[in-house]
Amino acid sequence: MSSITYRGGSLHVEQVAVDDIAREVGTPFYCYSAGAIRARYEAFVRAFAGVDASIYYAVKANSNLAVISLLADAGAGVDIVSGGELTRALRAGVPAERIVFAGVGKTRDELSAALHAGIGQFNVESGAELELLAEVATGLGVTAYAGLRVNPDVDAGTHAKITTGTRENKFGVDIARAPELFDRAATLSGIRLESLSMHIGSQLLDLSPYRSAYLRLREMTCMLRGAGHRIDHLDLGGGLGIGYDGTMPAALDAYARIVADTVGDLGCRLGFEPGRFLVGDAGVLVTRVLFTKPGADKWFVIADAAMNDLIRPTLYEARHRVVPVTRADARAPVRRCDLVGPICESGDYIARDCDMAVPDGGDLLAILDAGAYGAVMASTYNTRPLVPEVLVKANRFAVVRRRQTVEEALALERVPDWLADRPGGP
Ligand code: LLP
């Protein structure tokens, strides 16, 4: 991503030196480029110029209020999956009609809150949810606009934990059940089911699964129309991948061609739900090296960021590139290194078997492509407070989430009085 580059040997996010941010906020921290996010969004819009298309940013990828707000200002809607994300989206200024609510397990309270807010669409993932949504909407005297998430039985060919479109899957309903559910919806009050949605998986670089999936969507759209149902909107999901190894992200023009070839002539409004593609390579996680030590065959670089801050490497075997914030001396010998954190688990690593000059204690390292599914998936395991997030725009930066304190984390907990009564208690 050209917004994250070296200038005079020092890593910059846009025009701000990462070093300067570290001095002010401490480490570890996440840092995002507003310009890079905006540019990606605009490229997406351009790819579908002339098409009746809406982009619903999947806020699960990075739900910081500032990030949502910058995309909302650019014109994006959002895809949410919880009542918490609904509150965030509204707080960030996303107009309710530009919100799409997905997810297999929406509660009555969440459906009710979203109906109160007047969101644009619910992507319903089961017959039982359809009934509940109709009931809640009828009770409130409103109409829910809904789409049915169908499962096309297409393997997205990505990591097993992020593929969602195969047949036996908790997401959506088997596409063959769509006619039955549309028939049922037609008899319910409070709901208008006029859309189909799908999302086959995440981090797709080979786009051919989209073609197969969208062809199935096309087939079902025609079949439902033939049975007298109105389908005026297709939500094509997210999933476009980025080049974690430094190669190019998924090709937007090729993707747009697949969309045009498969569902372009159906006269439907189209919705897209990109997450990672918009924010993934616009962010870095910055960490400070604490110690280094030689192992049997490689070096261990022990840093202050850990699996609780970035879980992707250990959860998905994801490989994120690691670069020094101050460019290493080109003559320094390159060694095989594991970048690990202080957590008491051998699964606590950020990068394994990467070849780099062994840094010194105190050096800063940047973990690239950490803008998506980074800060949002962090935990406080080992009582490590959540780290700050920083947003850069041109030559300015702001802390858009401050560092949590240990006291704040502990404030949620209490020791019950009756514990003192236990045998052997104080
Ligand atoms: N729409 C739906 C219904 C989804 O479930 C997802 C992601 C998206 C859109 C956005 O997908 P994207 O464009 O970001 O690929 N934590 C994993 C990724 C989980 C994706 C979950 N669903 C990771 O770090 O790779």
Side-chain angles (χ1 to χ4, degrees):
M1 177 61 51
S2 59
S3 312
I4 300 173
T5 49
Y6 286 99
R7 294 175 180 222
S10 151
L11 193 71
H12 282 60
V13 174
E14 302 193 29
Q15 295 156 37
V16 179
V18 169
D19 236 339
D20 290 344
I21 304 174
R23 213 165 295 124
E24 193 160 319
V25 308
T27 53
F29 64 92
Y30 279 94
C31 180
Y32 316 122
S33 156
I37 297 172
R38 177 104 195 192
R40 248 324 140 65
Y41 175 75
E42 283 168 0
F44 209 109
V45 170
R46 268 197 311 278
F48 291 97
V51 176
D52 187 4
S54 305
I55 298 168
Y56 303 107
Y57 166 54
V59 303
K60 64 171 80 69
N62 184 329
S63 58
N64 188 285
L65 287 173
V67 171
I68 301 178
S69 163
L70 99 83
L71 282 165
D73 283 349
V78 294
D79 160 48
I80 60 164
V81 290
S82 70
E85 286 189 351
L86 173 67
T87 305
R88 274 182 184 280
L90 294 171
R91 187 80 50 86
V94 181
E97 65 276 10
R98 281 203 246 136
I99 298 178
V100 172
F101 195 170
V104 289
K106 307 179 191 79
T107 65
R108 180 184 288 271
D109 285 351
E110 287 176 322
L111 293 174
S112 174
L115 285 165
H116 265 296
I119 68 159
Q121 175 153 323
F122 294 82
N123 282 338
V124 169
E125 304 213 16
S126 63
E129 185 192 339
L130 188 73
E131 306 284 336
L132 180 61
L133 178 58
E135 179 196 319
V136 177
T138 305
L140 292 173
V142 296
T143 301
Y145 293 89
L148 181 67
R149 177 163 173 187
V150 291
N151 217 319
D153 193 19
V154 167
D155 186 352
T158 62
H159 189 274
K161 286 187 182 139
I162 53 174
T163 193
T164 48
T166 48
R167 184 135 170 262
E168 204 65 84
N169 201 297
K170 76 169 181 171
F171 299 102
V173 299
D174 184 349
I175 195 163
R177 287 197 58 218
E180 170 202 331
L181 291 167
F182 271 78
D183 287 348
R184 172 69 185 146
T187 69
L188 296 171
S189 65
I191 195 160
R192 275 173 59 179
L193 188 62
E194 295 176 350
S195 168
L196 286 170
S197 83
M198 64 168 53
H199 170 77
I200 57 174
S202 197
Q203 184 52 18
L204 274 79
L205 289 170
D206 167 14
L207 303 180
S208 54
Y210 283 120
R211 184 177 291 278
S212 322
Y214 295 168
L215 282 172
R216 301 216 60 195
L217 199 63
R218 170 194 186 79
E219 229 174 82
M220 185 47 69
T221 304
C222 298
M223 191 183 291
L224 290 168
R225 284 177 170 171
H229 296 293
R230 176 177 161 164
I231 308 287
D232 61 8
H233 179 230
L234 296 178
D235 183 333
L236 302 177
L240 288 179
I242 60 170
Y244 283 103
D245 57 359
T247 54
M248 297 300 281
L252 267 179
D253 51 345
Y255 178 63
R257 256 196 318 278
I258 290 175
V259 171
D261 289 352
T262 52
V263 295
D265 62 343
L266 294 174
C268 286
R269 275 185 305 118
L270 301 179
F272 298 94
E273 299 172 351
R276 184 189 325 261
F277 188 78
L278 298 184
V279 295
D281 47 12
V284 293
L285 170 61
V286 180
T287 183
R288 194 175 291 282
V289 176
L290 301 173
F291 309 107
T292 59
K293 62 179 179 186
D297 298 313
K298 55 186 171 187
W299 280 74
F300 290 98
V301 177
I302 304 154
D304 62 2
M307 67 189 276
N308 71 301
D309 304 307
L310 181 67
I311 192 82
R312 302 196 70 259
T314 195
L315 190 57
Y316 312 116
E317 290 89 42
R319 292 187 69 87
H320 285 255
R321 287 168 296 152
V322 178
V323 299
V325 166
T326 302
R327 208 172 229 161
D329 182 338
R331 290 159 307 182
V334 167
R335 308 232 187 269
R336 181 131 297 190
C337 296
D338 277 9
L339 174 63
V340 302
I343 285 184
C344 301
E345 291 210 27
S346 39
D348 176 28
Y349 54 85
I350 300 282
R352 282 213 288 199
D353 294 331
C354 55
D355 294 327
M356 61 182 185
V358 179
D360 290 325
D363 283 0
L364 291 173
L365 299 175
I367 296 126
L368 303 186
D369 305 321
Y373 307 109
V376 283
M377 293 183 77
S379 76
T380 55
Y381 186 38
N382 279 202
T383 310
R384 292 168 47 85
L386 298 176
V387 306
E389 294 173 88
V390 172
L391 186 68
V392 172
K393 183 174 173 188
N395 60 0
R396 294 199 295 194
F397 73 91
V399 175
V400 293
R401 183 180 74 189
R402 68 171 173 77
R403 192 181 301 281
Q404 186 185 36
T405 65
V406 172
E407 283 310 319
E408 282 169 328
L410 295 188
L412 299 175
E413 300 173 27
R414 77 186 186 97
V415 179
D417 298 341
W418 45 256
L419 209 60
D421 301 337
R422 73 188 190 277

